[in-house]
């Protein structure tokens, strides 16, 4: 595999950089670089800018309004947007539901929902995890009972990221208890403003209510909102998760985090010299950089192999594990680098416009926030322990 970029690909990188220089609002870039919390309006503004350029559906084919980019272009785009401190593209509608609808949805669902995802008319959230069904999704207990032209949904979802902003949720629900647990699950699209839905925020260790509980009490959902066939939701769920896990590798975010780590270690002093000159600390940074370079190559190779439209297999589990471990290692080193300034965590200072002063240099608070928030990386999308089981069965045949 030739890992050198062609002249055409280098030209594309220049095009992306010029676009970011011209279109990325400095206000948004500064908020991201300083670790400030982004609002719903911030995400919607950035999505609209990308959509106006035709660059929002980075993994979508052109026939559905996407870029039609190959794996290399998507890799370059992620590198450049993270380098420029652009807000991330939220994955729920674009990287999770969109591919499922394209492959398994009805023509009516595709024509209705896909344009609305790109235009920002709908904000989707994911209704997978439950209190007793996180990594073990086959244990989903939220029920959907058929009643004429509707399903009646009852149950609870949890860890629903940014669900407080969503007007739509895609859910795994139990429609049968016959046979294996995986055979009785269906995939439903539900309006969040339906009577009987209640959203309860969960405040995380970094002080942000990023995730939620979503409760369903006798919620009526039209049968036309069923994706694919009843009781075949497990197949669609696995297809979605392979895309989610590959995206979780977050090569661009790890590269941006490594750049920040090196800057911090170059400014923080230890014994009268920059921390980066400490051989013990420098060796830790070098090791994580080597791991990141190897993972980036594997990520590019895996995405290239899947560029024909096929979902990646156990490779997505490998990338999920390695990518999340590397990002957490970078976060831990950055927090270690700021030393005692990491301890007095002032959550309110992360709010835009707050007059609460953080403690220490301006990079200390974001380093602590990233460390706390990214503890979740090795859990969501299927815990790393479950991914190791998948690898042992699919590749090692254990």
């Amino acid at each position: 595999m030739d890992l050198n970029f062609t002249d055409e690909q280098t030209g594309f990188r220049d095009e992306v950089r010029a676009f970011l220089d011209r279109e990325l609002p400095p206000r948004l870039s500064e908020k991201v670089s300083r670790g400030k919390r982004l609002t719903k309006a911030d995400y919607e503004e950035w999505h609209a800018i990308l959509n106006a350029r035709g660059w929002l559906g980075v993994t979508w084919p052109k026939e559905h309004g996407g870029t039609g980019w190959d794996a290399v272009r998507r890799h370059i785009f992620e590198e450049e947007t993270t380098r420029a401190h652009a807000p991330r593209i939220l994955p729920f509608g674009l990287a999770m539901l969109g591919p499922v609808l394209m492959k398994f949805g009805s023509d009516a669902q595709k024509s209705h929902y896909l344009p609305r995802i790109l235009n920002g008319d709908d904000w989707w959230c994911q209704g997978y995890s439950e209190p007793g069904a996180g990594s073990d999704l086959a244990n989903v207990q939220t029920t959907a009972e058929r009643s004429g032209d509707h399903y009646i949904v009852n149950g609870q979802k949890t860890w629903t990221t940014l669900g407080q902003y969503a007007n739509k949720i895609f859910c795994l629900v139990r429609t049968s208890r016959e046979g294996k647990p995986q055979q009785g699950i269906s995939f439903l699209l539900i309006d969040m403003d339906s009577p009987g839905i209640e959203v309860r925020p969960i405040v995380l260790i970094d002080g942000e209510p990023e995730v939620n509980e979503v409760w369903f009490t006798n919620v009526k959902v039209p049968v036309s909102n069923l994706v694919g066939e009843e009781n075949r939701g497990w197949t669609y769920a696995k297809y979605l998760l392979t895309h989610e896990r590959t995206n979780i590798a977050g090569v661009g975010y790890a590269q941006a985090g490594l750049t920040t780590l090196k800057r911090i270690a170059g400014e923080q002093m230890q014994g009268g010299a920059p921390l980066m000159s400490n051989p013990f600390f420098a060796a830790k940074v070098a090791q994580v950089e080597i791991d990141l370079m190897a993972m980036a190559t594997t990520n590019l190779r895996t995405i290239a192999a899947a560029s024909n439209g096929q979902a990646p297999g156990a490779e997505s589990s490998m990338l999920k594990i390695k990518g999340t471990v590397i990002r957490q290692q970078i976060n831990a080193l950055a927090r270690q680098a700021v030393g005692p300034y990491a301890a007095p965590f002032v959550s309110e200072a992360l709010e835009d416009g707050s007059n609460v002063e953080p403690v220490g240099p301006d990079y200390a608070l974001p380093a602590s926030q990233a460390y706390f928030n990214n503890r979740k990386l090795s859990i969501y999308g299927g815990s790393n322990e479950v991914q190791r089981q998948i690898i042992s069965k699919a590749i090692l045949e254990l």
Side-chain angles (χ1 to χ4, degrees):
M1 182 179 181
D2 185 359
L3 297 180
N4 295 309
F5 293 110
T6 65
D7 290 343
E8 182 182 356
Q9 290 161 348
T10 301
F12 174 71
R13 184 185 294 278
D14 293 339
E15 182 183 359
V16 174
R17 285 188 178 181
F19 168 78
L20 292 169
D21 289 342
R22 185 177 64 252
E23 301 292 344
L24 174 60
R27 178 182 61 80
L28 292 182
S29 179
E30 182 181 359
K31 288 183 76 172
V32 173
S33 66
R34 297 180 62 193
K36 293 284 187 179
R37 290 176 178 141
L38 297 178
T39 65
K40 179 183 182 183
D42 291 335
Y43 286 115
E44 289 177 333
E45 179 182 356
W46 181 232
H47 279 204
I49 291 171
L50 290 175
N51 191 42
R53 181 63 179 82
W55 284 0
L56 183 58
V58 294
T59 61
W60 291 19
K62 286 187 175 180
E63 65 180 284
H64 291 301
T67 62
W69 287 341
D70 59 19
V72 176
R73 288 188 176 228
R74 293 198 296 270
H75 175 80
I76 291 172
F77 181 77
E78 181 178 310
E79 277 193 339
E80 292 303 318
T81 52
T82 51
R83 182 195 59 81
H85 302 295
R88 66 174 177 141
I89 296 177
L90 295 178
F92 311 107
L94 289 154
M96 295 182 185
L97 179 61
V100 171
L101 290 180
M102 290 176 206
K103 189 171 182 64
F104 303 107
S106 65
D107 289 340
Q109 289 169 342
K110 294 176 188 175
S111 62
H112 179 72
Y113 290 115
L114 294 179
R116 293 176 63 86
I117 291 174
L118 291 176
N119 294 333
D121 295 326
D122 292 330
W123 183 301
W124 286 92
C125 62
Q126 182 185 33
Y128 269 29
S129 294
E130 299 180 0
S135 297
D136 180 18
L137 282 176
N139 195 37
V140 160
Q141 297 299 314
T142 295
T143 59
E145 297 181 0
R146 182 75 178 263
S147 176
D149 294 334
H150 289 79
Y151 289 102
I152 306 300
V153 178
N154 284 282
Q156 176 193 358
K157 297 295 179 179
T158 192
W159 309 124
T160 308
T161 304
L162 302 181
Q164 71 270 34
Y165 298 148
N167 67 324
K168 305 280 185 183
I169 183 171
F170 53 89
C171 280
L172 294 182
V173 294
R174 183 156 298 287
T175 43
S176 174
R177 297 192 181 280
E178 297 181 2
K180 295 181 178 178
Q182 294 88 339
Q183 296 173 340
I185 293 174
S186 297
F187 195 109
L188 279 185
L189 311 176
I190 303 176
D191 291 339
M192 289 289 280
D193 58 0
S194 302
I197 292 183
E198 180 183 2
V199 179
R200 302 176 186 175
I202 301 172
V203 179
L204 298 179
I205 192 172
D206 66 354
E208 184 174 9
E210 184 183 15
V211 295
N212 303 268
E213 295 176 330
V214 182
W215 293 76
F216 301 85
T217 305
N218 296 321
V219 177
K220 291 181 66 175
V221 180
V223 172
S224 59
N225 284 19
L226 174 72
V227 175
E229 300 178 37
E230 189 174 276
N231 298 327
R232 293 289 305 278
W234 184 252
T235 298
Y236 317 144
K238 288 193 299 181
Y239 183 81
L240 182 152
L241 285 170
T242 55
H243 285 272
E244 180 185 6
R245 288 166 186 160
T246 303
N247 290 323
I248 290 173
V251 174
Y253 294 101
Q255 291 170 333
L258 182 63
T259 299
T260 300
L261 168 62
K262 289 180 176 178
R263 178 173 64 84
I264 293 174
E267 295 184 20
Q268 281 292 111
M269 303 298 286
Q270 183 187 58
L275 177 60
M276 200 61 180
S277 65
N278 179 317
F280 183 65
F281 191 85
K284 290 182 178 180
V285 175
Q287 184 59 60
V288 78
E289 184 167 13
I290 292 169
D291 290 345
L292 174 56
M293 292 174 67
M295 195 266 290
T297 303
T298 303
N299 185 62
L300 189 58
R301 188 173 65 239
T302 301
I303 294 175
S307 60
N308 60 359
Q310 297 298 314
E315 293 85 353
S316 63
S317 295
M318 297 167 58
L319 289 170
K320 197 272 179 178
I321 294 171
K322 198 63 182 175
T324 55
V325 167
I326 288 174
R327 290 177 68 184
Q328 289 178 340
Q329 288 174 332
I330 291 172
N331 295 148
L333 286 172
R335 186 165 179 260
Q336 180 182 343
V338 300
Y341 294 124
F345 182 71
V346 186
S347 176
E348 295 81 358
L350 292 169
E351 298 291 347
D352 192 31
S354 171
N355 59 3
V356 178
E357 292 294 330
V359 178
D362 60 356
Y363 49 73
L365 184 60
S368 297
Q369 189 270 345
Y371 174 85
F372 287 135
N373 192 275
N374 284 345
R375 295 298 91 194
K376 68 190 178 189
L377 294 180
S378 49
I379 299 174
Y380 70 55
S383 71
N384 285 5
E385 289 77 10
V386 169
Q387 303 316 307
R388 291 186 178 93
Q389 291 178 356
I390 292 173
I391 294 169
S392 67
K393 292 179 180 178
I395 298 180
L396 303 178
E397 299 182 353
L398 297 177

